Amino acid sequence: MNHSDLPSPRRFSAAAPLRGRIRVPGDKSISHRSIMLGALAVGETRVTGLLEGEDVMATAAAMRAMGATIEKHSDRWSIHGVGVGGLLQPQAALDMGNSGTSTRLLMGLIASHAITAAFTGDASLSKRPMGRVIEPLSRIGASFTPSPGGRLPLMMTGASVPVPIEYRLPVASAQVKSAVLLAGLNTAGITTVIEPVPTRDHSERMLRGFGADIEVEVMGGERIIHIRGEADLKPQTIEVPGDPSSAAFFMVAASIVPGSDLMIENVGLNPTRAGLVEVLRQMGAIIDEVDRREFGGEPVADLHVRHAPLTGIEVDPALAPSMIDEFPVLFIAAAMAHGRTVTRGLDELRVKESDRLSAMAAALTAAGANVEEAEDGLIIDGTGGDPLRGTSNARVQTHLDHRIAMAMAVAGLVSKDGVEIDDTRPIATSFPTFEDLLEGATQS
Ligand code: S3P
């Protein structure tokens, strides 16, 4: 990571209502995939709206290390790829920083190329489980030497004759699904992934856009995805929509700060990502979709969000995959709602950039909220709209997790004493303009 060596603490305090129009940066998932697929297509792929966060830059650096040319010309990124099967062996370890998506998807790509690569990451990434991709990619023929517990740092060598597999996902994970599909690109024959619970489908959409032979069937509620290799990808022009996971912080902030009236422009509303909008509406939020349209092959709209009293609900666990990254900030909405919010089925939150259930339970408790941590979710009794106490002398621990930092910044906006977080640096992994946008929206 490009972080300076010292933590950068900051107190976020009660602010004026959020007003005006903002535009959040490009979608992180789509940005990673546009670089990876562009780097495998021969010819020039052009990308606008790319998220220039540290995670996506880690993907770009890795693809450069494997032979692609990736450059920025004013506001457009230009990628010249090496062709499927053409990845070069990187000469140094691939530093993935904080990015689980870069790591797991790149492991998939490398699994079907006969090259050896080493992966390293920061303290947070080095705690995260890689067994979930090592297992299917080993069946394809790749070999791995991970650190104990199936973690980074790890070395891997891709298969010289990769074998097509049929793989049923044991966890609802778009990263695991994508790793296997990307491995399938350079694997002769048909690689199949069976998804019992649908997860974000950006890989499938973009693979199709780049000309891969990919088919999706739905049977008995399961998604069955077939990809035929070896693929020949055609360069594309991609417009990346705004990231709904970044917009989420502003949707919640404008919903809970009295007097707010905010327009968030060009937000991606792919149904596999839009769970938070639905849950906030169930709680009473006023979020209107303005000018719903297609942008870069994805549904988008401008979201008009106004302050509204929220009511606690039981969140349907079936919605979890479509808002998996949004729970930290949903918990802030719950802490300000009338009554109790119950969330369940969130075991996956324990293996994100931090254990987000325990990190958010501790952070919210420190800020004066009433929270109970269960094994697979949080139970939160809201204030009914009254401000939270805040953290006075304490500092909230963000555990190198950008979304804990941003969620607790939003909590600070509705607190008496403000909320001090231990380190704002991780915010740059996904949303480098967060603090500026927040300042702008609370001054307009
Ligand atoms: C992502 C998938 C999700 C999500 C992550 C991005 C992706 O992870 O949490 O931020 O781009 O595929 P899982 O696949 O582990 O659920």
Side-chain angles (χ1 to χ4, degrees), residues 192-228:
T192 300
V193 180
I194 302 166
E195 231 191 352
V197 182
T199 63
R200 64 189 69 193
D201 64 354
H202 306 300
S203 295
E204 296 93 304
R205 284 175 188 247
M206 202 179 283
L207 280 163
R208 188 172 295 118
F210 271 85
D213 185 354
I214 181 165
E215 266 174 38
V216 182
E217 304 168 70
V218 180
M219 270 206 285
E222 298 191 330
R223 290 177 81 245
I224 305 167
I225 308 149
H226 307 283
I227 186 162
R228 183 189 291 274

mmCIF file of all heavy atoms in Angstrom, residues 192-228:
data_model
loop_
_atom_site.group_PDB
_atom_site.id
_atom_site.type_symbol
_atom_site.label_atom_id
_atom_site.label_comp_id
_atom_site.label_asym_id
_atom_site.label_seq_id
_atom_site.Cartn_x
_atom_site.Cartn_y
_atom_site.Cartn_z
ATOM 1 N N THR A 192 -17.510 -25.232 -15.433
ATOM 2 C CA THR A 192 -18.861 -24.928 -14.939
ATOM 3 C C THR A 192 -18.804 -24.542 -13.461
ATOM 4 O O THR A 192 -18.139 -25.210 -12.664
ATOM 5 C CB THR A 192 -19.772 -26.170 -15.107
ATOM 6 O OG1 THR A 192 -19.823 -26.494 -16.496
ATOM 7 C CG2 THR A 192 -21.181 -25.907 -14.595
ATOM 8 N N VAL A 193 -19.508 -23.460 -13.124
ATOM 9 C CA VAL A 193 -19.660 -23.069 -11.716
ATOM 10 C C VAL A 193 -21.146 -23.101 -11.386
ATOM 11 O O VAL A 193 -21.959 -22.535 -12.124
ATOM 12 C CB VAL A 193 -19.110 -21.654 -11.451
ATOM 13 C CG1 VAL A 193 -19.291 -21.274 -9.982
ATOM 14 C CG2 VAL A 193 -17.638 -21.553 -11.826
ATOM 15 N N ILE A 194 -21.481 -23.773 -10.283
ATOM 16 C CA ILE A 194 -22.881 -23.813 -9.833
ATOM 17 C C ILE A 194 -22.981 -22.945 -8.588
ATOM 18 O O ILE A 194 -22.247 -23.145 -7.617
ATOM 19 C CB ILE A 194 -23.329 -25.255 -9.528
ATOM 20 C CG1 ILE A 194 -23.138 -26.107 -10.777
ATOM 21 C CG2 ILE A 194 -24.788 -25.278 -9.061
ATOM 22 C CD1 ILE A 194 -23.226 -27.593 -10.519
ATOM 23 N N GLU A 195 -23.910 -21.983 -8.684
ATOM 24 C CA GLU A 195 -24.060 -21.015 -7.606
ATOM 25 C C GLU A 195 -25.407 -21.223 -6.917
ATOM 26 O O GLU A 195 -26.437 -20.791 -7.454
ATOM 27 C CB GLU A 195 -24.073 -19.624 -8.252
ATOM 28 C CG GLU A 195 -23.148 -18.678 -7.673
ATOM 29 C CD GLU A 195 -23.392 -17.248 -8.172
ATOM 30 O OE1 GLU A 195 -24.189 -16.981 -9.081
ATOM 31 O OE2 GLU A 195 -22.746 -16.396 -7.586
ATOM 32 N N PRO A 196 -25.427 -21.874 -5.749
ATOM 33 C CA PRO A 196 -26.722 -22.072 -5.084
ATOM 34 C C PRO A 196 -27.373 -20.748 -4.703
ATOM 35 O O PRO A 196 -28.591 -20.617 -4.748
ATOM 36 C CB PRO A 196 -26.362 -22.884 -3.832
ATOM 37 C CG PRO A 196 -25.037 -23.518 -4.145
ATOM 38 C CD PRO A 196 -24.333 -22.565 -5.059
ATOM 39 N N VAL A 197 -26.568 -19.751 -4.333
ATOM 40 C CA VAL A 197 -27.095 -18.434 -3.967
ATOM 41 C C VAL A 197 -26.454 -17.419 -4.909
ATOM 42 O O VAL A 197 -25.230 -17.318 -4.952
ATOM 43 C CB VAL A 197 -26.686 -18.087 -2.512
ATOM 44 C CG1 VAL A 197 -27.263 -16.747 -2.108
ATOM 45 C CG2 VAL A 197 -27.108 -19.182 -1.550
ATOM 46 N N PRO A 198 -27.257 -16.693 -5.673
ATOM 47 C CA PRO A 198 -26.657 -15.761 -6.646
ATOM 48 C C PRO A 198 -25.804 -14.679 -5.959
ATOM 49 O O PRO A 198 -26.200 -14.151 -4.923
ATOM 50 C CB PRO A 198 -27.855 -15.119 -7.335
ATOM 51 C CG PRO A 198 -29.024 -15.966 -7.006
ATOM 52 C CD PRO A 198 -28.710 -16.680 -5.724
ATOM 53 N N THR A 199 -24.656 -14.383 -6.537
ATOM 54 C CA THR A 199 -23.809 -13.281 -6.056
ATOM 55 C C THR A 199 -23.596 -12.316 -7.216
ATOM 56 O O THR A 199 -24.024 -12.605 -8.352
ATOM 57 C CB THR A 199 -22.440 -13.789 -5.570
ATOM 58 O OG1 THR A 199 -21.758 -14.366 -6.686
ATOM 59 C CG2 THR A 199 -22.592 -14.818 -4.460
ATOM 60 N N ARG A 200 -22.895 -11.239 -6.964
ATOM 61 C CA ARG A 200 -22.709 -10.208 -8.001
ATOM 62 C C ARG A 200 -22.246 -10.863 -9.296
ATOM 63 O O ARG A 200 -21.370 -11.734 -9.284
ATOM 64 C CB ARG A 200 -21.763 -9.109 -7.526
ATOM 65 C CG ARG A 200 -20.358 -9.536 -7.264
ATOM 66 C CD ARG A 200 -19.552 -8.432 -6.595
ATOM 67 N NE ARG A 200 -20.019 -8.225 -5.240
ATOM 68 C CZ ARG A 200 -19.712 -7.193 -4.460
ATOM 69 N NH1 ARG A 200 -18.909 -6.249 -4.913
ATOM 70 N NH2 ARG A 200 -20.175 -7.090 -3.240
ATOM 71 N N ASP A 201 -22.836 -10.400 -10.413
ATOM 72 C CA ASP A 201 -22.594 -11.083 -11.698
ATOM 73 C C ASP A 201 -21.777 -10.231 -12.666
ATOM 74 O O ASP A 201 -21.906 -10.372 -13.883
ATOM 75 C CB ASP A 201 -23.933 -11.503 -12.326
ATOM 76 C CG ASP A 201 -24.814 -10.301 -12.682
ATOM 77 O OD1 ASP A 201 -24.439 -9.150 -12.347
ATOM 78 O OD2 ASP A 201 -25.867 -10.509 -13.310
ATOM 79 N N HIS A 202 -20.925 -9.355 -12.134
ATOM 80 C CA HIS A 202 -20.142 -8.494 -13.039
ATOM 81 C C HIS A 202 -19.192 -9.308 -13.911
ATOM 82 O O HIS A 202 -18.935 -8.941 -15.049
ATOM 83 C CB HIS A 202 -19.332 -7.470 -12.229
ATOM 84 C CG HIS A 202 -20.158 -6.668 -11.293
ATOM 85 N ND1 HIS A 202 -21.191 -5.861 -11.707
ATOM 86 C CD2 HIS A 202 -20.111 -6.536 -9.936
ATOM 87 C CE1 HIS A 202 -21.741 -5.274 -10.656
ATOM 88 N NE2 HIS A 202 -21.106 -5.676 -9.575
ATOM 89 N N SER A 203 -18.644 -10.397 -13.373
ATOM 90 C CA SER A 203 -17.713 -11.194 -14.191
ATOM 91 C C SER A 203 -18.430 -11.761 -15.398
ATOM 92 O O SER A 203 -17.928 -11.686 -16.526
ATOM 93 C CB SER A 203 -17.121 -12.358 -13.372
ATOM 94 O OG SER A 203 -16.330 -11.863 -12.342
ATOM 95 N N GLU A 204 -19.616 -12.334 -15.152
ATOM 96 C CA GLU A 204 -20.354 -12.942 -16.262
ATOM 97 C C GLU A 204 -20.690 -11.878 -17.314
ATOM 98 O O GLU A 204 -20.506 -12.081 -18.518
ATOM 99 C CB GLU A 204 -21.659 -13.571 -15.756
ATOM 100 C CG GLU A 204 -21.461 -14.732 -14.788
ATOM 101 C CD GLU A 204 -21.474 -14.290 -13.323
ATOM 102 O OE1 GLU A 204 -20.669 -13.407 -12.957
ATOM 103 O OE2 GLU A 204 -22.257 -14.836 -12.543
ATOM 104 N N ARG A 205 -21.191 -10.725 -16.850
ATOM 105 C CA ARG A 205 -21.574 -9.667 -17.805
ATOM 106 C C ARG A 205 -20.366 -9.214 -18.618
ATOM 107 O O ARG A 205 -20.439 -9.023 -19.832
ATOM 108 C CB ARG A 205 -22.111 -8.447 -17.056
ATOM 109 C CG ARG A 205 -23.512 -8.626 -16.519
ATOM 110 C CD ARG A 205 -23.901 -7.398 -15.695
ATOM 111 N NE ARG A 205 -25.158 -7.613 -15.013
ATOM 112 C CZ ARG A 205 -26.294 -6.962 -15.275
ATOM 113 N NH1 ARG A 205 -26.325 -6.013 -16.181
ATOM 114 N NH2 ARG A 205 -27.401 -7.229 -14.621
ATOM 115 N N MET A 206 -19.239 -9.025 -17.924
ATOM 116 C CA MET A 206 -18.098 -8.468 -18.640
ATOM 117 C C MET A 206 -17.435 -9.508 -19.531
ATOM 118 O O MET A 206 -16.981 -9.196 -20.638
ATOM 119 C CB MET A 206 -17.095 -7.866 -17.656
ATOM 120 C CG MET A 206 -16.209 -6.856 -18.335
ATOM 121 S SD MET A 206 -15.028 -6.101 -17.236
ATOM 122 C CE MET A 206 -16.046 -4.961 -16.357
ATOM 123 N N LEU A 207 -17.395 -10.759 -19.074
ATOM 124 C CA LEU A 207 -16.831 -11.807 -19.931
ATOM 125 C C LEU A 207 -17.621 -11.885 -21.233
ATOM 126 O O LEU A 207 -17.047 -11.981 -22.321
ATOM 127 C CB LEU A 207 -16.853 -13.153 -19.204
ATOM 128 C CG LEU A 207 -15.715 -13.349 -18.196
ATOM 129 C CD1 LEU A 207 -16.033 -14.495 -17.226
ATOM 130 C CD2 LEU A 207 -14.390 -13.617 -18.909
ATOM 131 N N ARG A 208 -18.940 -11.798 -21.108
ATOM 132 C CA ARG A 208 -19.775 -11.834 -22.323
ATOM 133 C C ARG A 208 -19.447 -10.633 -23.203
ATOM 134 O O ARG A 208 -19.258 -10.762 -24.411
ATOM 135 C CB ARG A 208 -21.256 -11.848 -21.937
ATOM 136 C CG ARG A 208 -22.168 -12.078 -23.102
ATOM 137 C CD ARG A 208 -23.623 -12.293 -22.701
ATOM 138 N NE ARG A 208 -23.820 -13.502 -21.931
ATOM 139 C CZ ARG A 208 -24.275 -13.538 -20.671
ATOM 140 N NH1 ARG A 208 -24.580 -12.415 -20.038
ATOM 141 N NH2 ARG A 208 -24.437 -14.680 -20.047
ATOM 142 N N GLY A 209 -19.317 -9.466 -22.588
ATOM 143 C CA GLY A 209 -18.993 -8.251 -23.338
ATOM 144 C C GLY A 209 -17.676 -8.368 -24.090
ATOM 145 O O GLY A 209 -17.533 -7.860 -25.206
ATOM 146 N N PHE A 210 -16.696 -9.056 -23.514
ATOM 147 C CA PHE A 210 -15.391 -9.227 -24.159
ATOM 148 C C PHE A 210 -15.401 -10.368 -25.180
ATOM 149 O O PHE A 210 -14.367 -10.692 -25.752
ATOM 150 C CB PHE A 210 -14.303 -9.498 -23.109
ATOM 151 C CG PHE A 210 -13.655 -8.243 -22.549
ATOM 152 C CD1 PHE A 210 -14.237 -7.560 -21.494
ATOM 153 C CD2 PHE A 210 -12.451 -7.755 -23.056
ATOM 154 C CE1 PHE A 210 -13.641 -6.418 -20.962
ATOM 155 C CE2 PHE A 210 -11.843 -6.618 -22.534
ATOM 156 C CZ PHE A 210 -12.440 -5.945 -21.490
ATOM 157 N N GLY A 211 -16.574 -10.995 -25.339
ATOM 158 C CA GLY A 211 -16.698 -12.010 -26.399
ATOM 159 C C GLY A 211 -16.439 -13.432 -25.942
ATOM 160 O O GLY A 211 -16.319 -14.341 -26.782
ATOM 161 N N ALA A 212 -16.344 -13.681 -24.629
ATOM 162 C CA ALA A 212 -16.144 -15.065 -24.177
ATOM 163 C C ALA A 212 -17.422 -15.862 -24.408
ATOM 164 O O ALA A 212 -18.523 -15.311 -24.430
ATOM 165 C CB ALA A 212 -15.784 -15.088 -22.692
ATOM 166 N N ASP A 213 -17.261 -17.161 -24.576
ATOM 167 C CA ASP A 213 -18.411 -18.044 -24.783
ATOM 168 C C ASP A 213 -18.892 -18.472 -23.395
ATOM 169 O O ASP A 213 -18.350 -19.395 -22.789
ATOM 170 C CB ASP A 213 -17.919 -19.240 -25.621
ATOM 171 C CG ASP A 213 -19.043 -20.179 -26.000
ATOM 172 O OD1 ASP A 213 -20.174 -19.971 -25.512
ATOM 173 O OD2 ASP A 213 -18.769 -21.125 -26.767
ATOM 174 N N ILE A 214 -19.867 -17.739 -22.868
ATOM 175 C CA ILE A 214 -20.332 -17.988 -21.503
ATOM 176 C C ILE A 214 -21.859 -18.095 -21.510
ATOM 177 O O ILE A 214 -22.531 -17.319 -22.190
ATOM 178 C CB ILE A 214 -19.826 -16.878 -20.540
ATOM 179 C CG1 ILE A 214 -20.285 -17.135 -19.112
ATOM 180 C CG2 ILE A 214 -20.192 -15.486 -20.977
ATOM 181 C CD1 ILE A 214 -19.519 -16.295 -18.081
ATOM 182 N N GLU A 215 -22.362 -19.097 -20.790
ATOM 183 C CA GLU A 215 -23.818 -19.302 -20.741
ATOM 184 C C GLU A 215 -24.254 -19.415 -19.300
ATOM 185 O O GLU A 215 -23.564 -20.047 -18.500
ATOM 186 C CB GLU A 215 -24.170 -20.640 -21.399
ATOM 187 C CG GLU A 215 -24.521 -20.534 -22.844
ATOM 188 C CD GLU A 215 -24.720 -21.913 -23.443
ATOM 189 O OE1 GLU A 215 -25.282 -22.787 -22.758
ATOM 190 O OE2 GLU A 215 -24.263 -22.088 -24.587
ATOM 191 N N VAL A 216 -25.405 -18.817 -19.001
ATOM 192 C CA VAL A 216 -25.926 -18.896 -17.632
ATOM 193 C C VAL A 216 -27.320 -19.507 -17.681
ATOM 194 O O VAL A 216 -28.186 -19.030 -18.415
ATOM 195 C CB VAL A 216 -25.996 -17.488 -16.979
ATOM 196 C CG1 VAL A 216 -26.485 -17.604 -15.544
ATOM 197 C CG2 VAL A 216 -24.642 -16.789 -17.044
ATOM 198 N N GLU A 217 -27.511 -20.600 -16.945
ATOM 199 C CA GLU A 217 -28.857 -21.202 -16.834
ATOM 200 C C GLU A 217 -29.307 -21.035 -15.392
ATOM 201 O O GLU A 217 -28.473 -21.064 -14.486
ATOM 202 C CB GLU A 217 -28.823 -22.718 -17.047
ATOM 203 C CG GLU A 217 -28.238 -23.244 -18.304
ATOM 204 C CD GLU A 217 -28.035 -24.754 -18.141
ATOM 205 O OE1 GLU A 217 -29.016 -25.499 -18.107
ATOM 206 O OE2 GLU A 217 -26.863 -25.165 -18.007
ATOM 207 N N VAL A 218 -30.631 -20.922 -15.204
ATOM 208 C CA VAL A 218 -31.149 -20.895 -13.841
ATOM 209 C C VAL A 218 -32.021 -22.126 -13.675
ATOM 210 O O VAL A 218 -32.957 -22.347 -14.449
ATOM 211 C CB VAL A 218 -31.955 -19.608 -13.576
ATOM 212 C CG1 VAL A 218 -32.494 -19.592 -12.144
ATOM 213 C CG2 VAL A 218 -31.089 -18.379 -13.825
ATOM 214 N N MET A 219 -31.679 -22.966 -12.680
ATOM 215 C CA MET A 219 -32.449 -24.201 -12.458
ATOM 216 C C MET A 219 -32.699 -24.372 -10.977
ATOM 217 O O MET A 219 -31.732 -24.404 -10.195
ATOM 218 C CB MET A 219 -31.657 -25.406 -12.983
ATOM 219 C CG MET A 219 -31.964 -25.691 -14.443
ATOM 220 S SD MET A 219 -31.686 -27.410 -14.869
ATOM 221 C CE MET A 219 -29.930 -27.502 -14.928
ATOM 222 N N GLY A 220 -33.973 -24.430 -10.610
ATOM 223 C CA GLY A 220 -34.330 -24.613 -9.203
ATOM 224 C C GLY A 220 -33.704 -23.556 -8.315
ATOM 225 O O GLY A 220 -33.245 -23.862 -7.212
ATOM 226 N N GLY A 221 -33.631 -22.326 -8.804
ATOM 227 C CA GLY A 221 -33.083 -21.225 -8.012
ATOM 228 C C GLY A 221 -31.560 -21.151 -8.047
ATOM 229 O O GLY A 221 -30.972 -20.197 -7.542
ATOM 230 N N GLU A 222 -30.902 -22.171 -8.627
ATOM 231 C CA GLU A 222 -29.437 -22.130 -8.703
ATOM 232 C C GLU A 222 -29.013 -21.548 -10.050
ATOM 233 O O GLU A 222 -29.697 -21.738 -11.056
ATOM 234 C CB GLU A 222 -28.852 -23.538 -8.592
ATOM 235 C CG GLU A 222 -29.151 -24.204 -7.286
ATOM 236 C CD GLU A 222 -28.342 -25.491 -7.095
ATOM 237 O OE1 GLU A 222 -27.998 -26.162 -8.084
ATOM 238 O OE2 GLU A 222 -28.058 -25.803 -5.938
ATOM 239 N N ARG A 223 -27.879 -20.884 -10.042
ATOM 240 C CA ARG A 223 -27.338 -20.387 -11.310
ATOM 241 C C ARG A 223 -26.211 -21.317 -11.736
ATOM 242 O O ARG A 223 -25.314 -21.609 -10.936
ATOM 243 C CB ARG A 223 -26.812 -18.951 -11.168
ATOM 244 C CG ARG A 223 -27.938 -17.944 -10.966
ATOM 245 C CD ARG A 223 -27.404 -16.548 -10.746
ATOM 246 N NE ARG A 223 -27.041 -15.875 -11.984
ATOM 247 C CZ ARG A 223 -25.809 -15.504 -12.317
ATOM 248 N NH1 ARG A 223 -24.802 -15.743 -11.517
ATOM 249 N NH2 ARG A 223 -25.581 -14.881 -13.456
ATOM 250 N N ILE A 224 -26.280 -21.738 -12.981
ATOM 251 C CA ILE A 224 -25.252 -22.645 -13.498
ATOM 252 C C ILE A 224 -24.559 -21.910 -14.639
ATOM 253 O O ILE A 224 -25.203 -21.502 -15.610
ATOM 254 C CB ILE A 224 -25.889 -23.963 -13.983
ATOM 255 C CG1 ILE A 224 -26.691 -24.545 -12.811
ATOM 256 C CG2 ILE A 224 -24.833 -24.947 -14.465
ATOM 257 C CD1 ILE A 224 -27.604 -25.658 -13.187
ATOM 258 N N ILE A 225 -23.271 -21.704 -14.461
ATOM 259 C CA ILE A 225 -22.532 -20.848 -15.407
ATOM 260 C C ILE A 225 -21.484 -21.700 -16.115
ATOM 261 O O ILE A 225 -20.682 -22.368 -15.447
ATOM 262 C CB ILE A 225 -21.839 -19.695 -14.649
ATOM 263 C CG1 ILE A 225 -22.862 -18.977 -13.768
ATOM 264 C CG2 ILE A 225 -21.188 -18.716 -15.614
ATOM 265 C CD1 ILE A 225 -22.269 -18.398 -12.513
ATOM 266 N N HIS A 226 -21.531 -21.690 -17.428
ATOM 267 C CA HIS A 226 -20.569 -22.462 -18.218
ATOM 268 C C HIS A 226 -19.695 -21.485 -19.002
ATOM 269 O O HIS A 226 -20.225 -20.568 -19.634
ATOM 270 C CB HIS A 226 -21.266 -23.346 -19.261
ATOM 271 C CG HIS A 226 -22.331 -24.234 -18.701
ATOM 272 N ND1 HIS A 226 -22.051 -25.391 -18.019
ATOM 273 C CD2 HIS A 226 -23.679 -24.146 -18.733
ATOM 274 C CE1 HIS A 226 -23.182 -25.973 -17.663
ATOM 275 N NE2 HIS A 226 -24.192 -25.232 -18.073
ATOM 276 N N ILE A 227 -18.403 -21.724 -18.996
ATOM 277 C CA ILE A 227 -17.520 -20.924 -19.857
ATOM 278 C C ILE A 227 -16.658 -21.880 -20.677
ATOM 279 O O ILE A 227 -16.160 -22.884 -20.160
ATOM 280 C CB ILE A 227 -16.660 -19.933 -19.030
ATOM 281 C CG1 ILE A 227 -15.864 -19.033 -19.964
ATOM 282 C CG2 ILE A 227 -15.739 -20.617 -18.028
ATOM 283 C CD1 ILE A 227 -15.346 -17.776 -19.305
ATOM 284 N N ARG A 228 -16.541 -21.554 -21.976
ATOM 285 C CA ARG A 228 -15.756 -22.425 -22.854
ATOM 286 C C ARG A 228 -14.400 -21.794 -23.151
ATOM 287 O O ARG A 228 -14.310 -20.630 -23.533
ATOM 288 C CB ARG A 228 -16.507 -22.644 -24.180
ATOM 289 C CG ARG A 228 -15.802 -23.604 -25.122
ATOM 290 C CD ARG A 228 -16.477 -23.602 -26.488
ATOM 291 N NE ARG A 228 -17.796 -24.219 -26.423
ATOM 292 C CZ ARG A 228 -18.009 -25.538 -26.532
ATOM 293 N NH1 ARG A 228 -17.001 -26.362 -26.717
ATOM 294 N NH2 ARG A 228 -19.238 -26.010 -26.492
#
